[in-house]
Amino acid sequence: MSTSETTESRSRGKAPAGERVADWADGRLGIYSLAKANMRKIFPDHWSFMLGEVCLYSFIIIILTGVYLTLFFHPSMNEVEYHGSYVPLQGQLMSEAFSSTLHISFDVRGGLLIRQIHHWAALIFLAGMFVHMMRVFFTGAFRKPREINWLFGFLLFVLGMFTGFTGYSLPDDLLSGTGVRFTEGAILSMPIVGTYISFFLFGGEFPGVDFVARFYSIHILLLPGIMLGLVVAHLILVFYHKHTQFAGPGKTNKNVVGMPLLPVYMAKAGGFFFLVFGVIAVIAAIAQINPVWAIGPYRPDMVSTGAQPDWYMGFAEGLVRYMPGWEINLWGHTLVLGVFIPLVLFGVVLAAIAVYPFIESWVTGDKREHHILDRPRNAPTRTAFGVAWITVYMVGLVGGGNDLWATHFHLSINAVTWFVRISFFAGPVLAFIITKRICLGLQRRDKDKVLHGRESGIIKRLPHGEFIEIHEPLSQDAMYTLTAHEQYKPAEIGPTVDENGVERKVKASEKLRAKLSKSYYGPDSQIPKPTVDEYKEITSGHGHH
Amino acid sequence: MSSQDIPEEKSPAEQGAHVAVADEKHPFADPGLPPHEHRIQDVDERAARRSERTVALLFTVSMLATVGFIASYVAIPHDKSIFVFPIGHLNALNFALGLTLGLALFSIGAGAVHWARTLMSDVEVADERHPIAAEPDVKAKVMADFKQGAKESALGRRKLIRNTMFGALALFPLSGVVLLRDLGPLPGTKLRHTLWSKGKLLVNMNTNEPLRPEDVAVGSLTFAKPEGLEEDDHEFQNEIAKAALMIIRLQPDDIKDKQELDWSYQGIVAYSKICTHVGCPISLYEQQTHHALCPCHQSTFDLSDGAKVIFGPAGHPLPQLRIGVNDEGYLEALGDFTEPVGPAFWERG
């Protein structure tokens, strides 16, 4: 016993300092087992996999800069007279929140930079999440086993929107105050509980003296706290599931091909954090954002033209702008449909994309794990649905800026609004049809390429004068990649009589599923993959093509 | 850079399949991982050294940029403005700090990425995946454990414990809900009343002087507040959010709405400035058409016709304030608004 201890301690004494520290930590945290699984973990490479990283890094940047801003910001609506170094507002009455924002912008050296980095990073964070979500959607990366991680990501997007909203409302400037007023109006439209929620949120009538302090704790503690938890869970699941990959030679549903975390992705991903931070810092150096001093402090009886929320709220703004002003008065009560329907639609549109993975897995009935990404063309109905959804979102954005479209393009505001109203219904339908057709066209082209080879650009004249283009056969790599995807068969309604010959009732859900499945995987929704027989027939008949 | 620690390298025979022409029998079969292609840095030590120098240069630039950041912080006064083509006038300190910080960070990132791309091994390796779901025997063990635990707790057998526990756990969060009650007062009828009452003078928002009919010109738009409400009042924001008024003068013949005419004075009409959509202050007025437009969501009201909504998302007309003139010739209110101003709500009716 004693001898083994001495040998151990002696060998420990010889070990390098780093190893001794690691030993110490391992004895308490078990880090070696953790590192064994993760240090050389393989990550596949594709440019689109970096979109999620942009989100992660901008989130970290937001937290870092946000902590700095809390050192100087006063979340208070007490009225003060301004006596800072911004001359045009000298002597003006404003809330402490507004005046401390001016203080950060004009009197704290570097304060403006950090404020602008914070705001730019927030815009990029939301944009990054949107694009990342679309990447995951269109490649089918949300399929089993990743549905829960899709929901985590979705929640991050929604919470990010509200964190952004509560954040840009804090300076209590004329623009953000108008946004808060809009929120109050939207809350008031809720049947039965609207006025109560409004009075509880604002501590009485709008604007009151409470909402900045309340938004502050929501913005810096409650929402980011939840989001931090979700980000960690999201990343743990990414590690646990291992990253998805596109089909290609050597890449199967049972492996993951790429390069190890240490050193390649440590350097690439770690370096990418600095790239994102660096780019945002440069943007903040040259591009002004939210100049609250030019907008002025909030007054409920004042507003400027061209009032716009930050981009991620533009879709909600649009819904409210193009909705007709329906109001129903019955039995002494008012149902404010003109505002309440947009409020509900806002949730419904977002929920539609959130629950999509579950709908698709119900339609396919596929319970297997999927780690190979789809090319969007190979899932035409899904892709078409996604594009239709984006169309609704973009129509909302256009509607949210209808005044800017009108003034910048010299259009009538009424015409823009009517265009948006019609597009809200027609746009997604058109987008769906067009996208599906494009997908099928691309599938046909893939099939053609596999069977007939690639256009080489070389024109050959045959002895009898005919010109043909020489097609070069694809490599086996390329042919495998183009034919690796699976094609589902549409689900049929089972036999309508049971084993005893008694007619059984076909449930409505079963019929719906069969119908959906047909629209997903029926003959009109996918081009059959080229088969080996087709290929052999074409390539064996020489001079056939 | 060596490939000794690659767990699953394909055998040369398998790799050969990729180079050769398509497998005659299975032309679409997976040819396996393609062989690694060497970068110039893998074969040419001089190229590798060049990469090394580039990375080191980038890291050095970062160090210099940080020095530049600190120097800018110390040297540049915070109110200095500079002209930068083509952006325009910028705050010099913000520009210098942002640029140096950006450069310092970007160079670290660029250096690290260049290092990874040119000097670290770029051999693609395959890792196996394992199903996420547990093997049947693991599941069986967990289910057995759970049954054992549940049995030992006797939760299913001792229903009294179970039911009272659920009751206690369901009730206690109510305390938290109750605590939220004092977040704000109940709405009551607060949304129905404003500061306006009979005899209150209409005070010009800009000049802070009571308005006379002759102060209001045809075609102009004047904003007014009730007398006695001053900007430094504690309740100013809450009161002006409801009481803000928009005053215009029309030719009495142009007024199409009977009540509007009755409630006006010599063609002067007073409407709530707060939009009935979601409460933005309406501030655009087109004198030719007598239309008022809310700049937030473009609800348009016809002020010559009872402020009816003629376009946009608002659901009902702007409330009108009945006005007259007092003995001294000043415009005064003849009462409060008869309906709530601002956005509609459930109890509005």
Side-chain angles (χ1 to χ4, degrees), chain B residues 222-299:
Chain B
T222 311
F223 297 134
K225 60 179 181 177
E227 88 177 280
L229 180 64
E230 298 301 330
E231 265 186 49
D232 49 1
D233 286 352
H234 186 61
E235 287 290 303
F236 176 78
Q237 296 279 77
N238 282 10
E239 292 303 340
I240 202 68
K242 291 189 296 183
L245 215 58
M246 168 163 78
I247 297 169
I248 56 159
R249 177 172 238 160
L250 304 164
Q251 301 293 352
D253 298 343
D254 288 345
I255 300 180
K256 295 171 208 145
D257 185 79
K258 171 85 170 55
Q259 180 185 292
E260 180 176 0
L261 188 62
D262 291 347
W263 288 15
S264 68
Y265 179 80
Q266 292 178 354
I268 298 174
V269 290
Y271 278 106
S272 164
K273 193 187 176 185
I274 308 302
C275 184
T276 58
H277 178 219
V278 285
C280 272
I282 292 160
S283 40
L284 300 172
Y285 176 60
E286 203 177 43
Q287 46 170 289
Q288 299 299 321
T289 55
H290 316 304
H291 291 171
L293 177 88
C294 175
C296 290
H297 306 108
Q298 292 79 44
S299 293

Side-chain angles (χ1 to χ4, degrees), chain A residues 40 106 113 195 205 208 214 242-243 250 254-256 258 271 274 298 301 321 325 327 334 369 402 476-477, chain B residues 5 18 23 29-31 78 109 125 127-129 132 183 205 237-238 242 273 296 298 313 316 346-347 349:
Chain A
R40 295 280 286 176
F106 292 107
L113 181 73
T195 39
E205 287 188 82
R214 289 179 181 179
K242 296 185 175 148
H243 209 286
K254 292 208 157 58
N255 72 7
V256 49
F274 289 96
Y298 181 58
D301 61 328
R321 284 191 186 194
E327 257 172 41
T334 303
E369 289 185 10
N402 58 356
Q476 189 169 349
D477 279 5
Chain B
D5 45 4
H18 154 83
D23 182 339
D30 183 0
H78 64 77
V125 192
D127 240 5
E128 268 182 60
R129 286 182 196 275
I132 305 293
L183 275 176
M205 190 67 89
Q237 296 279 77
N238 282 10
K242 291 189 296 183
K273 193 187 176 185
C296 290
Q298 292 79 44
H316 60 270
W346 176 248
E347 296 88 350

Side-chain angles (χ1 to χ4, degrees), chain A residues 59 63 156 159 163 216-233:
Chain A
F59 183 63
I63 290 180
L156 280 167
L159 292 178
T163 313
Y216 185 66
S217 71
I218 294 171
H219 176 73
I220 70 157
L221 183 66
L222 181 65
L223 294 179
I226 299 171
M227 290 175 75
L228 194 61
L230 283 171
V231 166
V232 171

Side-chain angles (χ1 to χ4, degrees), chain A residues 493-538:
Chain A
I493 299 174
T496 47
V497 286
D498 65 12
E499 58 268 30
N500 300 325
V502 181
E503 205 167 311
R504 82 186 169 98
K505 228 176 164 185
V506 181
K507 278 189 285 182
S509 65
E510 219 175 320
K511 282 186 193 156
L512 176 69
R513 193 182 139 189
K515 213 166 188 181
L516 278 175
S517 183
K518 197 175 160 223
S519 79
Y520 262 81
Y521 309 114
D524 298 336
S525 301
Q526 53 187 1
I527 307 299
K529 285 199 298 190
T531 62
V532 175
D533 291 339
E534 281 177 300
Y535 178 79
K536 282 185 179 156
E537 196 188 314
I538 286 170

Side-chain angles (χ1 to χ4, degrees), chain A residues 304-308 321 398-417, chain B residues 284 286 293-296 298:
Chain A
S304 56
T305 55
Q308 286 288 313
R321 284 191 186 194
V398 173
N402 58 356
D403 51 339
L404 299 181
W405 283 86
T407 52
H408 282 69
F409 296 100
H410 305 287
L411 300 164
S412 137
I413 183 95
N414 307 31
V416 174
T417 305
Chain B
L284 300 172
E286 203 177 43
L293 177 88
C294 175
C296 290
Q298 292 79 44

